[in-house]
Amino acid sequence: MAFRSKLPQVGTTIFSVMSRRAAELGAVNLGQGFPDYDIDPRLGELVHQAMREGYNQYAPMPGLPQLREAIAAKLARSYPAQVDPELEITITLGATEAIFSAVQALVAAGDEVVVFDPAYDSYDPAVRLAGGACIHVPLQPPAFRYDWDRVASVLSARTRLLIINSPHNPSCTCLTAQDLAALAQLLRGREIYLVADEVYEHVLYDGRAHHGVLSVPELRERSVAVFSFGKTLQATGLRVGYAVAPAPLSAELRKVHQFNTFTIPTAPQLAIARYLGERPDCGEHLGAFFTAKRDRLIAALAGSGLTLPPAQGSFFQLIDYAAVSPRPDTEFAEELLLRARVASIPLSVFYQHPPPMTLLRLCVAKRDATLDEGAARLREFARTRRDAATARSSA
Ligand code: GLN
């Protein structure tokens, strides 16, 4: 029987493919965004403790009340907004579920959703499964800035939702307060919602401050803001994310969540609630921690011929290999994986219509030894590519 795919263009995500191949090849994995170091042992203990205490049955559908209360307290440290833990916070299976459930709740057949390329890979399929269509607006190179006039030109009566992301994966740029003001002005008087993917809210480089939708009342009232303990506690395998939205929006999101995942495991929720009680400032050191990681990579690649565009936040740093190879990024990433045994993520895969580009995304959420080894292999590979190009041009 011929099988009808609802997502014919979608394969296995580049992140999973790269991690699998890196493992098969014994490569240094700077591709998929996850830490290769341990979580805080205290968090692990608290998960064990919760299980031993018997927290092994369903949590309430919107999430464990203790965790929602701890999140409200955490949000109050970062944002001026008062968030009601009962009605406005929903615990989800990672940020991916929050985004998916929000999109299913808000988007109907025929609706249009604006996304910004290079766009995180889960947005477009989530919109398609809801029966909507994405309008892909590229961020402006080389600094990947938003062009709000261009956004204005694609809005119509069909536009239902914008999905924004800051700090931005994969471009490593951040929204400014001016961007948020421009966005608020653009949406004023229109029935358009926002999904704000802010999972890297604490991972800002160089002491930069995060500008999120919860800081702008006019945006907050139309937004589902999405956060992730996978990122903040550097524990991606716990799969604990959450969505913050005004009560009517949260109610719609929960209608989907309850038939999607229903609830997420109880013990990690209780463990994180207790952890937040012990470490209310958790997350606040991440800017300095990741800036040091990124700087280590920058220093290790200095003079290699690879250039590193300025990065403002996220778990990542881009590299531009234009000076060492003319090949398209997917081919260069493949060559890098097979020859140098370094896994990376080519940027063109995040575009509907990729412009010619020579950028790869590297994950810096790695042990120093992993970063050093990856950088040493990249340096050596860049040197051989440059030598080959010189030999070709003088032959
Ligand atoms: N967010 C991770 C990244 O950007 C990937 C998560 C996943 O593999 N789905 O690398």
Side-chain angles (χ1 to χ4, degrees):
M1 186 176 94
F3 190 78
R4 191 200 66 172
S5 171
K6 290 184 73 179
L7 297 170
Q9 268 87 42
V10 172
T12 303
T13 79
I14 183 83
F15 310 117
S16 302
V17 169
M18 276 297 185
S19 280
R20 178 176 50 75
R21 297 190 63 217
E24 283 165 6
L25 292 164
V28 176
N29 189 358
L30 302 183
Q32 193 178 27
F34 66 92
D36 69 345
Y37 41 84
D38 283 341
I39 61 169
D40 183 341
R42 180 65 189 144
L43 178 58
E45 274 166 35
L46 288 168
V47 176
H48 291 168
Q49 187 187 323
M51 289 193 144
R52 282 197 306 270
E53 286 173 15
Y55 288 91
N56 298 306
Q57 307 301 336
Y58 295 131
M61 181 275 283
L64 213 59
Q66 298 95 310
L67 180 56
R68 286 184 280 127
E69 275 153 30
I71 289 170
K74 178 181 181 309
L75 290 167
R77 290 175 71 95
S78 307
Y79 303 99
Q82 282 291 319
V83 176
D84 178 345
E86 180 58 30
L87 299 174
E88 299 187 316
I89 297 173
T90 307
I91 312 296
T92 57
L93 196 76
T96 300
E97 195 246 315
I99 293 163
F100 189 83
S101 291
V103 168
Q104 304 315 308
L106 298 174
V107 176
D111 287 345
E112 288 181 354
V113 177
V114 178
V115 298
F116 296 90
D117 286 356
Y120 188 65
D121 68 344
S122 82
Y123 303 159
D124 190 293
V127 170
R128 279 174 203 265
L129 289 173
C134 280
I135 308 291
H136 290 255
V137 176
L139 297 176
Q140 294 303 300
F144 296 102
R145 299 317 313 170
Y146 288 80
D147 178 346
W148 297 114
D149 291 336
R150 185 155 176 184
V151 180
S153 76
V154 305
L155 299 185
S156 73
R158 287 187 300 278
T159 316
R160 177 76 165 159
L161 176 69
L162 263 64
I163 305 182
I164 56 172
N165 172 211
S166 180
H168 189 269
N169 176 13
S171 81
C172 311
T173 57
C174 295
L175 285 164
T176 62
Q178 290 79 359
D179 282 323
L180 292 179
L183 180 57
Q185 192 188 349
L186 193 64
L187 298 182
R188 205 165 290 152
R190 298 183 195 253
E191 266 186 62
I192 299 177
Y193 297 102
L194 270 180
V195 167
D197 174 352
E198 300 185 14
V199 296
Y200 297 104
E201 65 176 327
H202 294 297
V203 191
L204 286 110
Y205 299 139
D206 305 315
R208 178 176 291 271
H210 175 58
H211 296 285
V213 292
L214 297 184
S215 313
V216 183
E218 216 183 327
L219 292 178
R220 167 162 152 63
E221 68 187 25
R222 57 171 83 226
S223 294
V224 178
V226 174
F227 301 97
S228 161
F229 287 114
K231 309 300 188 274
T232 297
L233 302 180
Q234 300 170 76
T236 60
L238 293 188
R239 309 296 298 128
V240 185
Y242 53 104
V244 179
L249 276 182
S250 288
E252 289 305 308
L253 185 145
R254 289 174 182 184
K255 289 182 194 175
V256 178
H257 166 73
Q258 71 181 346
F259 295 124
N260 183 5
T261 54
F262 175 50
T263 56
I264 75 159
T266 309
Q269 295 190 63
L270 183 63
I272 292 174
R274 288 171 170 171
Y275 188 83
L276 293 177
E278 292 177 12
R279 313 263 158 89
D281 58 349
C282 73
E284 291 170 18
H285 70 289
L286 291 183
F289 177 82
F290 278 94
T291 300
K293 293 280 182 202
R294 180 209 58 177
D295 288 349
R296 191 174 186 97
L297 186 71
I298 293 176
L301 291 175
S304 65
L306 301 166
T307 53
L308 287 78
Q312 300 177 326
S314 78
F315 276 5
F316 310 106
Q317 167 69 54
L318 299 180
I319 57 168
D320 189 336
Y321 62 84
V324 306
S325 170
R327 303 185 74 172
D329 62 355
T330 48
E331 290 177 23
F332 189 80
E334 182 67 15
E335 210 184 347
L336 190 64
L337 178 65
L338 292 178
R339 302 258 176 91
R341 298 272 198 267
V342 177
S344 63
I345 303 288
L347 231 64
S348 63
V349 304
F350 300 102
Y351 281 85
Q352 181 184 38
H353 301 297
M357 53 170 44
T358 50
L359 294 171
L360 302 179
R361 190 196 80 175
L362 301 182
C363 178
V364 301
K366 302 292 172 188
R367 285 179 283 130
D368 287 350
T370 309
L371 290 176
D372 294 349
E373 179 59 26
R377 293 184 190 195
L378 276 161
R379 273 191 93 83
E380 177 56 17
F381 185 68
R383 191 186 62 73
T384 58
R385 293 297 91 192
R386 280 208 314 269
D387 289 353
T390 317
R392 266 200 307 279
S393 64
S394 57

Short mmCIF file of all heavy atoms in Angstrom, two decimals, residues 13-16 31-34 96 120-121 169 199-200 231 239 316 345 350 361 363, ligand 1:
data_model
loop_
_atom_site.label_atom_id
_atom_site.label_comp_id
_atom_site.label_asym_id
_atom_site.label_seq_id
_atom_site.Cartn_x
_atom_site.Cartn_y
_atom_site.Cartn_z
N THR A 13 16.22 14.56 12.06
CA THR A 13 16.84 15.89 12.24
C THR A 13 18.36 15.81 12.07
O THR A 13 18.99 14.80 12.41
CB THR A 13 16.56 16.51 13.64
OG1 THR A 13 17.44 15.90 14.59
CG2 THR A 13 15.13 16.35 14.06
N ILE A 14 18.89 16.90 11.57
CA ILE A 14 20.34 17.01 11.38
C ILE A 14 21.07 16.74 12.69
O ILE A 14 22.16 16.17 12.71
CB ILE A 14 20.70 18.41 10.82
CG1 ILE A 14 22.19 18.57 10.53
CG2 ILE A 14 20.27 19.53 11.75
CD1 ILE A 14 22.64 18.03 9.24
N PHE A 15 20.45 17.13 13.83
CA PHE A 15 21.11 16.96 15.13
C PHE A 15 21.30 15.47 15.45
O PHE A 15 22.37 15.02 15.86
CB PHE A 15 20.31 17.63 16.24
CG PHE A 15 19.93 19.04 15.92
CD1 PHE A 15 18.60 19.42 15.80
CD2 PHE A 15 20.91 20.01 15.73
CE1 PHE A 15 18.26 20.72 15.50
CE2 PHE A 15 20.57 21.32 15.43
CZ PHE A 15 19.23 21.67 15.31
N SER A 16 20.21 14.71 15.23
CA SER A 16 20.28 13.28 15.52
C SER A 16 21.23 12.59 14.55
O SER A 16 22.01 11.72 14.94
CB SER A 16 18.90 12.62 15.39
OG SER A 16 17.99 13.24 16.24
N GLY A 31 28.41 19.04 17.16
CA GLY A 31 27.19 19.25 16.38
C GLY A 31 25.99 19.54 17.27
O GLY A 31 25.71 20.69 17.60
N GLN A 32 25.31 18.46 17.68
CA GLN A 32 24.09 18.61 18.48
C GLN A 32 24.37 19.40 19.77
O GLN A 32 25.40 19.18 20.42
CB GLN A 32 23.54 17.23 18.81
CG GLN A 32 22.12 17.25 19.37
CD GLN A 32 21.61 15.84 19.63
OE1 GLN A 32 22.38 14.92 19.88
NE2 GLN A 32 20.30 15.67 19.55
N GLY A 33 23.43 20.25 20.15
CA GLY A 33 23.64 21.12 21.31
C GLY A 33 23.31 20.45 22.63
O GLY A 33 22.20 20.56 23.13
N PHE A 34 24.27 19.75 23.19
CA PHE A 34 24.09 19.19 24.54
C PHE A 34 25.44 19.14 25.23
O PHE A 34 26.47 18.95 24.58
CB PHE A 34 23.47 17.77 24.47
CG PHE A 34 24.38 16.75 23.84
CD1 PHE A 34 25.24 16.00 24.63
CD2 PHE A 34 24.39 16.56 22.47
CE1 PHE A 34 26.10 15.08 24.05
CE2 PHE A 34 25.25 15.65 21.88
CZ PHE A 34 26.11 14.90 22.67
N THR A 96 10.67 21.66 23.10
CA THR A 96 10.11 21.21 21.82
C THR A 96 8.62 20.93 21.97
O THR A 96 7.82 21.29 21.10
CB THR A 96 10.87 19.97 21.30
OG1 THR A 96 12.24 20.33 21.11
CG2 THR A 96 10.31 19.49 19.98
N TYR A 120 15.07 27.33 13.61
CA TYR A 120 15.19 26.04 14.30
C TYR A 120 14.28 25.03 13.62
O TYR A 120 13.16 25.35 13.21
CB TYR A 120 14.84 26.22 15.78
CG TYR A 120 15.12 24.97 16.58
CD1 TYR A 120 16.42 24.51 16.72
CD2 TYR A 120 14.09 24.23 17.13
CE1 TYR A 120 16.69 23.35 17.43
CE2 TYR A 120 14.35 23.07 17.84
CZ TYR A 120 15.66 22.64 17.98
OH TYR A 120 15.92 21.49 18.67
N ASP A 121 14.74 23.81 13.52
CA ASP A 121 14.11 22.87 12.58
C ASP A 121 12.74 22.36 12.99
O ASP A 121 12.03 21.81 12.17
CB ASP A 121 15.06 21.70 12.28
CG ASP A 121 15.28 20.80 13.50
OD1 ASP A 121 14.97 21.22 14.63
OD2 ASP A 121 15.77 19.67 13.29
N ASN A 169 19.17 30.33 17.96
CA ASN A 169 19.82 29.11 17.49
C ASN A 169 19.36 28.88 16.06
O ASN A 169 18.15 28.77 15.85
CB ASN A 169 19.36 27.93 18.38
CG ASN A 169 19.89 26.60 17.93
OD1 ASN A 169 20.78 26.52 17.11
ND2 ASN A 169 19.32 25.53 18.48
N VAL A 199 14.82 29.68 25.16
CA VAL A 199 15.45 28.62 25.97
C VAL A 199 16.86 28.98 26.41
O VAL A 199 17.34 28.46 27.42
CB VAL A 199 15.44 27.25 25.23
CG1 VAL A 199 14.03 26.78 25.00
CG2 VAL A 199 16.23 27.29 23.94
N TYR A 200 17.53 29.85 25.67
CA TYR A 200 18.89 30.24 26.06
C TYR A 200 18.88 31.57 26.82
O TYR A 200 19.85 32.33 26.78
CB TYR A 200 19.79 30.34 24.81
CG TYR A 200 19.94 29.02 24.10
CD1 TYR A 200 19.25 28.77 22.91
CD2 TYR A 200 20.75 28.01 24.61
CE1 TYR A 200 19.37 27.55 22.26
CE2 TYR A 200 20.87 26.79 23.97
CZ TYR A 200 20.18 26.56 22.79
OH TYR A 200 20.30 25.35 22.15
N LYS A 231 18.44 23.52 29.14
CA LYS A 231 19.49 24.50 28.90
C LYS A 231 19.97 25.11 30.22
O LYS A 231 21.17 25.17 30.49
CB LYS A 231 18.99 25.62 27.98
CG LYS A 231 18.32 25.13 26.71
CD LYS A 231 19.25 24.30 25.84
CE LYS A 231 18.67 23.96 24.47
NZ LYS A 231 17.84 22.77 24.44
N ARG A 239 14.49 16.47 30.01
CA ARG A 239 13.34 16.85 29.18
C ARG A 239 12.30 17.66 29.95
O ARG A 239 11.11 17.37 29.90
CB ARG A 239 12.66 15.60 28.55
CG ARG A 239 13.60 14.64 27.82
CD ARG A 239 14.27 15.25 26.60
NE ARG A 239 13.34 15.66 25.57
CZ ARG A 239 13.36 16.88 25.03
NH1 ARG A 239 14.23 17.79 25.40
NH2 ARG A 239 12.51 17.19 24.09
N PHE A 316 26.23 28.07 21.25
CA PHE A 316 26.95 27.87 19.99
C PHE A 316 27.86 29.03 19.60
O PHE A 316 27.76 30.13 20.14
CB PHE A 316 25.93 27.62 18.86
CG PHE A 316 24.93 26.56 19.21
CD1 PHE A 316 23.62 26.88 19.53
CD2 PHE A 316 25.33 25.23 19.29
CE1 PHE A 316 22.71 25.91 19.90
CE2 PHE A 316 24.42 24.24 19.66
CZ PHE A 316 23.11 24.58 19.97
N ILE A 345 27.33 21.47 12.49
CA ILE A 345 26.01 21.59 11.86
C ILE A 345 26.10 22.69 10.79
O ILE A 345 26.38 23.85 11.11
CB ILE A 345 24.92 21.99 12.91
CG1 ILE A 345 24.86 20.98 14.07
CG2 ILE A 345 23.57 22.16 12.24
CD1 ILE A 345 24.26 19.63 13.76
N PHE A 350 18.90 25.21 7.77
CA PHE A 350 17.86 25.93 8.52
C PHE A 350 17.13 26.96 7.64
O PHE A 350 16.41 27.81 8.16
CB PHE A 350 18.46 26.63 9.73
CG PHE A 350 19.13 25.68 10.70
CD1 PHE A 350 20.52 25.56 10.73
CD2 PHE A 350 18.38 24.89 11.56
CE1 PHE A 350 21.13 24.69 11.61
CE2 PHE A 350 18.99 24.02 12.45
CZ PHE A 350 20.38 23.91 12.47
N ARG A 361 27.86 25.62 12.44
CA ARG A 361 27.59 25.87 13.86
C ARG A 361 28.35 24.87 14.70
O ARG A 361 28.28 23.66 14.45
CB ARG A 361 26.08 25.73 14.11
CG ARG A 361 25.63 26.21 15.48
CD ARG A 361 24.24 25.70 15.83
NE ARG A 361 24.29 24.33 16.31
CZ ARG A 361 23.24 23.65 16.77
NH1 ARG A 361 22.05 24.21 16.79
NH2 ARG A 361 23.36 22.41 17.20
N CYS A 363 29.01 23.59 18.75
CA CYS A 363 28.48 23.66 20.12
C CYS A 363 29.64 23.87 21.09
O CYS A 363 30.62 23.12 21.06
CB CYS A 363 27.73 22.38 20.45
SG CYS A 363 27.11 22.39 22.15
N1 GLN B 1 18.46 22.07 20.46
C1 GLN B 1 19.48 21.17 20.05
C2 GLN B 1 20.42 21.82 19.05
O1 GLN B 1 20.12 22.86 18.52
C3 GLN B 1 18.97 19.93 19.39
C4 GLN B 1 17.83 19.23 20.01
C5 GLN B 1 17.45 18.05 19.18
O2 GLN B 1 18.31 17.29 18.77
N2 GLN B 1 16.21 17.95 18.87
O3 GLN B 1 21.43 21.27 18.75
#
